[in-house]
């Protein structure tokens, strides 16, 4: 039982966590098939997915069987053979809200190991209570929170008995490659947004950005966007994507959620580009003293203009605070974060 079924659809998180699990002696199997674009654009890491198969404690035919399953298809029916392999050779299954249908019901009823839900924070004032009402607590399900702020907010439903805090981090490979590599070449705002024109939530984020900041030069990085704007750089590979961040004058982070944080501002901290962000954002927990923090759109505009006008004192103040915060990020990139559940 030295294998883990890792049904997490996020490339950056995967790059960080799987090497930690491998170093603990576990084999990690990742989903290889995707039905929907909304999943596929989140995890574009196929080479690593299959590379990790080399560390599985499974027979070749078992690996083949598991790789033919679309684990994000909640309508699948697992065979008796698959369930037997799961029970004999897997200790843990990590899932997210994508695994919330008939597949989860099968796993709850038949898997003898532990299933851990990963929670990354809901929008606005929403809680996970509807999920708990749909899938009541059972002995074989635990819950993992990425931010203490979520667990505190959800304390009516979760407790230390069934919940764990496992902080987010960035892989050593990413840090080694991109640490302090910012060297701007264009006087533009970098804005990250995916699924523009395909998902109302993200389309509204794009429209809000354009309404507020279209008077400045900007570039938009993301995946699976409709090209409705000549400033959209769509579907870049990793090298191209991070190169465009490094060449930008600043990053504007739109988030105002108090319990959810996108990864790109954390990556931006490592790269060393100054970030302008909102006081209400969870990013304020990491960058509480940053002069890049704004309480309004007008304040954000004023600070963006200072950077675009090359106010070096202001730029350096932001970067110095971000460098202090970076040490906090690097401290959690260690081997022990999974110890409480392994």
């Amino acid at each position: 039982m030295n294998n883990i079924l890792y049904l997490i659809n996020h490339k950056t998180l995967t790059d960080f966590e799987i090497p930690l699990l491998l170093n603990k002696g576990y084999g990690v199997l990742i989903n290889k098939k995707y039905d929907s674009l909304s999943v596929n654009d989140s995890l574009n890491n196929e080479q690593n997915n299959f590379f990790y198969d080399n560390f599985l404690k499974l027979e070749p035919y078992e690996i083949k069987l598991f790789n033919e399953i679309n684990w994000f298809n909640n309508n699948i029916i697992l065979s008796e053979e698959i369930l037997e392999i799961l029970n004999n050779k897997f200790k843990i299954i990590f899932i997210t809200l994508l695994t919330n249908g008939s597949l989860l019901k099968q796993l709850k009823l038949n898997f003898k190991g532990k299933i851990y839900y990963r929670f990354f924070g809901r929008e606005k004032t929403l809680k996970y209570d509807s999920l708990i009402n749909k899938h009541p607590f059972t002995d074989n399900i635990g819950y993992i929170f990425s931010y203490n702020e979520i667990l505190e907010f959800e304390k009516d439903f979760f407790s230390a008995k069934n919940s764990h805090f496992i902080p987010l981090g960035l892989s050593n490979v990413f840090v080694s490659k991109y640490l302090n590599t910012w060297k701007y070449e264009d006087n533009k705002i970098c804005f990250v947004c995916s699924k523009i024109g395909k998902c109302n939530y993200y389309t509204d984020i794009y429209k809000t950005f354009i309404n507020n900041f279209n008077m400045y030069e900007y570039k938009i990085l993301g995946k699976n966007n409709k090209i409705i704007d000549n400033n959209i750089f769509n579907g870049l590979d990793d090298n191209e994507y991070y190169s465009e961040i490094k060449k930008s004058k600043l990053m504007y982070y739109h988030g105002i959620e108090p319990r959810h944080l996108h990864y790109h501002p954390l990556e931006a901290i490592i790269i060393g580009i100054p970030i302008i962000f909102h006081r209400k954002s969870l990013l304020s927990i990491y960058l509480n003293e940053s002069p890049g923090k704004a309480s309004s759109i007008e304040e954000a505009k004023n600070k963006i203009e200072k950077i675009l006008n090359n106010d070096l004192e202001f730029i350096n103040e932001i970067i110095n605070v971000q460098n202090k915060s970076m040490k906090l990020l690097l401290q959690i990139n260690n081997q022990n974060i999974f110890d409480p559940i392994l």
Side-chain angles (χ1 to χ4, degrees), residues 282-334:
L282 182 59
L283 189 59
S284 292
I285 299 297
Y286 293 91
L287 301 178
N288 186 47
E289 298 179 0
S290 173
K293 181 169 55 178
S295 298
S296 66
I297 294 297
E298 287 306 312
E299 185 179 358
K301 287 181 179 179
N302 291 335
K303 293 185 174 184
I304 285 172
E305 289 178 4
K306 292 178 74 171
I307 296 176
L308 294 178
N309 291 327
N310 211 34
D311 185 331
L312 294 180
E313 182 177 357
F314 181 65
I315 291 171
N316 289 331
E317 287 176 358
I318 292 176
I319 292 174
N320 287 337
V321 172
Q322 290 179 183
N323 283 337
K324 293 177 183 177
S325 173
M326 180 173 60
K327 294 178 181 178
L328 174 63
L329 281 175
L330 296 177
Q331 285 172 359
I332 67 174
N333 194 355
N334 62 66

Side-chain angles (χ1 to χ4, degrees), residues 12-27:
T12 307
L13 186 64
T14 299
D15 289 345
F16 169 61
E17 292 191 341
I18 290 185
L20 302 182
L21 294 169
L22 294 178
N23 286 336
K24 291 293 184 180
Y26 288 89

